[in-house]
Amino acid sequence: MSSLPDEFYRIGKLPPYVFAVVNEMKAKLRAAQYDVVDFGMGNPDGATPRPIVSKLAEAARNPRNHRYSVSRGIPNLRHEICRRYKRNYNVDLDPEAEAIVTIGSKDALAHLLFAVVGPGDRVVTPAPCYPIHQWGVIMAEGEAVPLPVSDPPEFLNRLESLFRKGNNPPKLILINYPHNPTTACVDLDFFEKVVALARRHGTMIVHDFAYADLYFDGYRPPSILQVEGAKDVAVEIFSMTKSYNMAGWRVGFCLGNPKMIHALARIKSYLDYGNFQPIQIASIIALRECEEEVGKICHVYERRRDVLVEGLAQAGWAVEKPKASMFVWAAIPEPFRAAGSLEFAKMLLENALVAVSPGIGFGEAGDGHVRFALIENHHRSRQALRRIKQFLRDHRRG
């Protein structure tokens, strides 16, 4: 009797999950009753605004909403996200041809890549990057071409160089600003240059805009769709996860170029029936009535950022304040730099009971850093900062 293969084709393409090492250590410490302060996963801890929850409960009681929905998303929800883009960015979108509802941003990213990327197609990806940005390309049989993301002018220089070489130009440019994990930000002129380049060469653009509404200190992230002609080549992915504290609800959108939207709709029609309809109905209320709540959620992240970065500075760990996102990207302190991010994250967990994400989990370009997610309240953050300060002090003595 023949046995099943030890490794499956696409699974074999994926690397070991680096974060699993920290997660396993964290689980063992907690099982032993140690109090771990966890800045690891970017999982919002705040409650979803009450009007959204109330509408979900009301819609869930209606048996008509218990049936299959539609994979493109219900029309009223597509209309509402288009209204939000008009209100916030002065961007006009056709809810029938230029907007689709997705089961979170990962659904949009992974399935869009399956829809538009073929074997050997080159796709520019950020370096470091959120894992699906690179591995979604590879699972779709494309070739990921990582470009350094933390210095936007350098990113543009290298992108232009790829096109100048000309023998196998990129088919798609995947970008993400405000960026996870580095928190790098850009202004509209950056997008104007990327769009001009893409239009000149007939290259697609996917912009992951998950942190659109988490911004500080007078900065406001632009939408790539604000650029004239962007819809000729680009789509933007927006998620309700961070803006509305709706992580578990899994509601996202893909907006922009109608050909790419149609391709995503076609592949999704084979894969799913869309979100549970009461979730979609509640999401309409979120977009229509909860803009003030988005501002409050943003303010919570801003205060947490200040507590963490200022506390790290007092502990002797200088870190730049991010202008946007829900993360702090911290260069490993000099005495630990040679150990690399995974070993440093393990040391921080073992000695200070503080969990962070090792930068190597976002690709080799991230190895000199760790990422803090701003998901702990002020009391817990200050508790962690005291432990980190003691850990750094003990190491200096040693």
Side-chain angles (χ1 to χ4, degrees), residues 155-156 159-160 163 170 173 175 187-205 224-234:
F155 181 93
L156 284 172
L159 184 61
E160 288 168 355
F163 284 106
I173 302 163
I175 45 181
D187 295 316
L188 195 59
D189 64 339
F190 174 89
F191 286 143
E192 287 169 348
K193 289 168 182 164
V194 175
V195 168
L197 197 59
R199 291 181 75 194
R200 196 154 60 242
H201 295 277
T203 300
M204 295 176 286
I205 303 171
I224 197 170
L225 299 180
Q226 290 174 265
V227 176
E228 187 177 352
K231 287 194 292 182
D232 292 343
V233 291

Side-chain angles (χ1 to χ4, degrees), residues 267-379:
I267 204 164
K268 275 176 63 63
S269 70
Y270 284 89
L271 296 171
D272 67 69
Y273 288 105
N275 277 34
F276 183 41
Q277 194 152 290
I279 289 177
Q280 296 190 59
I281 293 168
S283 298
I284 294 169
I285 296 303
L287 294 169
R288 190 179 290 166
E289 299 180 8
C290 295
E291 205 67 17
E292 190 176 319
E293 294 297 324
V294 173
K296 291 177 183 175
I297 290 165
C298 177
H299 185 58
V300 167
Y301 284 114
E302 183 174 22
R303 291 176 61 214
R304 289 180 178 183
R305 174 203 68 165
D306 292 345
V307 167
L308 181 64
V309 173
E310 290 163 16
L312 288 172
Q314 290 169 10
W317 187 353
V319 176
E320 188 176 340
K321 279 187 179 181
K323 292 195 296 183
S325 87
M326 60 178 290
F327 305 110
V328 168
W329 184 241
I332 299 170
E334 179 58 42
F336 305 94
R337 210 158 284 171
S341 60
L342 180 57
E343 287 306 311
F344 177 68
K346 287 161 66 176
M347 281 189 271
L348 208 55
L349 189 51
E350 287 169 355
N351 295 282
L353 297 176
V354 173
V356 296
S357 293
I360 189 68
F362 304 98
E364 289 183 14
D367 199 22
H369 294 72
V370 293
R371 192 196 71 178
F372 290 81
L374 300 171
I375 54 170
E376 294 280 13
N377 63 34
H378 295 179
H379 168 73

Side-chain angles (χ1 to χ4, degrees), residues 142-204:
E143 177 193 346
V145 182
L147 294 186
V149 75
S150 56
D151 181 353
E154 178 63 16
F155 181 93
L156 284 172
N157 286 338
R158 297 208 187 186
L159 184 61
E160 288 168 355
S161 176
L162 281 177
F163 284 106
R164 275 196 304 270
K165 289 174 184 174
N167 52 345
N168 187 14
K171 183 171 182 178
L172 188 147
I173 302 163
L174 200 165
I175 45 181
N176 163 221
Y177 294 101
H179 183 247
N180 176 16
T182 71
T183 76
C185 294
V186 296
D187 295 316
L188 195 59
D189 64 339
F190 174 89
F191 286 143
E192 287 169 348
K193 289 168 182 164
V194 175
V195 168
L197 197 59
R199 291 181 75 194
R200 196 154 60 242
H201 295 277
T203 300
M204 295 176 286

